[in-house]
């Protein structure tokens, strides 16, 4: 339970501005939504500076997107970005995860090591697993972007927003459940023949 709560808190710290923007946008309109997102960014940014926490690319992407989408809707006579911003943001997020799959420490591994610093980065099979898991997250966000675009262009706005919310949280919950139980997923993959340690060529 504590691990799940920590994961949810981490998600809010990353995507809070965007979540608040959508919520306030639907309830009160564009201007209050922009003000709320901006206030969140200021408070969150100050908290990160005071606690010496970094500004991850996903944080900059999610909260910056909230302000950009809000400004576009504010400039337009009738807000229209609400239909497309979910798909756009998910594609951008997929790009971040795809780029984060390479390197010595894949993006999902970096997230996991914040909760479990003892995860060994020197074991190639574990790094390969997290690289594949990061790619799986990238594919998930691509699929979610496609689903969001279809939902938001097929149904009336209020109904589409409700359907998108259910799909977003249900699918995200499933992916988070897999991530939280990553150790079990890794063990299952090994039983299926994947991510075994490389054999020593000298033996």
């Amino acid at each position: 339970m504590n691990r799940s709560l920590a994961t949810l808190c981490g998600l809010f710290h990353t995507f809070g501005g965007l979540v608040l923007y959508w919520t306030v946008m639907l309830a009160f309109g564009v201007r209050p939504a922009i003000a709320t997102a901006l206030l969140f960014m200021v408070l969150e940014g100050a908290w990160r500076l005071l606690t010496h926490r970094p500004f991850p690319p996903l944080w900059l992407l999610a909260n910056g997107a909230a302000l950009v989408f809000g400004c576009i809707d504010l400039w337009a006579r009738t807000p229209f970005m609400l239909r497309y911003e979910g798909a756009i943001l998910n594609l951008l997020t997929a790009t971040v995860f795809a780029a984060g799959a390479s390197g010595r420490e894949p993006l999902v591994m970096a997230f996991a090591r914040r909760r479990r610093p003892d995860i060994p980065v020197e074991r190639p099979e574990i790094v390969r697993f997290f690289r594949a898991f990061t790619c799986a997250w990238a594919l998930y966000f691509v699929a979610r972007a496609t689903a969001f675009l279809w939902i938001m262009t097929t149904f009336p706005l209020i109904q589409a927003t409700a359907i998108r919310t259910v799909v977003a949280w249900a699918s995200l919950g499933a992916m988070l459940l897999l991530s939280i139980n990553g150790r079990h997923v890794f063990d299952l993959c090994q039983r299926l023949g994947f991510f075994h340690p490389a054999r020593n060529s000298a033996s």
Side-chain angles (χ1 to χ4, degrees), residues 7 17 30 34 52 55 94 96 100 106 127 156 163:
T7 301
V30 176
I34 295 175
H52 305 286
F55 291 83
V96 172
V127 176
I163 295 173

Side-chain angles (χ1 to χ4, degrees), residues 144-182:
R144 207 165 88 144
T146 304
F148 282 6
L149 182 62
W150 179 79
I151 292 169
M152 299 303 292
T153 55
T154 301
F155 299 95
L157 182 59
I158 301 300
Q159 183 182 0
T161 304
I163 295 173
R164 184 183 70 175
T165 301
V166 173
V167 171
W169 285 107
S171 62
L172 184 61
M175 287 297 293
L176 286 176
L177 187 62
L178 285 175
S179 297
I180 292 171
N181 293 280

Side-chain angles (χ1 to χ4, degrees), residues 80-197:
F80 66 95
M81 282 301 294
L82 191 61
R83 288 191 180 274
Y84 305 105
E85 61 192 20
I88 295 172
L89 179 62
N90 276 274
L91 286 177
L92 292 175
T93 306
T95 302
V96 172
F97 273 87
S102 60
R104 180 175 179 271
E105 187 175 277
L107 187 58
V108 172
M109 189 176 194
F111 290 157
R113 280 173 54 80
R114 292 178 187 174
R115 294 186 297 110
R116 295 283 304 275
D118 58 330
I119 295 176
V121 296
E122 69 278 1
R123 290 178 57 184
E125 70 276 13
I126 293 181
V127 176
R128 292 198 307 271
F129 167 74
F130 277 107
R131 183 167 290 117
F133 213 155
T134 304
C135 290
W137 270 98
L139 291 174
Y140 160 73
F141 281 113
V142 171
R144 207 165 88 144
T146 304
F148 282 6
L149 182 62
W150 179 79
I151 292 169
M152 299 303 292
T153 55
T154 301
F155 299 95
L157 182 59
I158 301 300
Q159 183 182 0
T161 304
I163 295 173
R164 184 183 70 175
T165 301
V166 173
V167 171
W169 285 107
S171 62
L172 184 61
M175 287 297 293
L176 286 176
L177 187 62
L178 285 175
S179 297
I180 292 171
N181 293 280
R183 176 67 192 184
H184 300 296
V185 176
F186 178 70
D187 291 340
L188 176 61
C189 289
Q190 286 199 316
R191 286 197 294 270
L192 294 174
F194 300 101
F195 308 117
H196 285 295

Side-chain angles (χ1 to χ4, degrees), residues 15-96:
F15 298 101
L18 195 62
V19 172
L20 290 172
Y21 169 77
W22 281 339
T23 304
V24 177
M25 165 76 175
L26 291 173
F28 303 106
V30 176
R31 291 180 185 275
I34 295 175
T36 302
L38 183 59
L39 178 62
F40 174 85
M41 289 187 68
V42 170
L43 294 177
E44 175 75 9
W47 175 77
R48 287 182 178 277
L49 288 173
L50 291 173
T51 57
H52 305 286
R53 284 174 167 81
F55 291 83
L58 280 178
W59 187 90
L60 298 172
L61 173 64
N63 294 286
L67 293 181
V68 171
F69 294 149
C71 290
I72 293 175
D73 275 339
L74 188 62
W75 170 78
R77 291 190 174 185
T78 55
F80 66 95
M81 282 301 294
L82 191 61
R83 288 191 180 274
Y84 305 105
E85 61 192 20
I88 295 172
L89 179 62
N90 276 274
L91 286 177
L92 292 175
T93 306
T95 302
V96 172

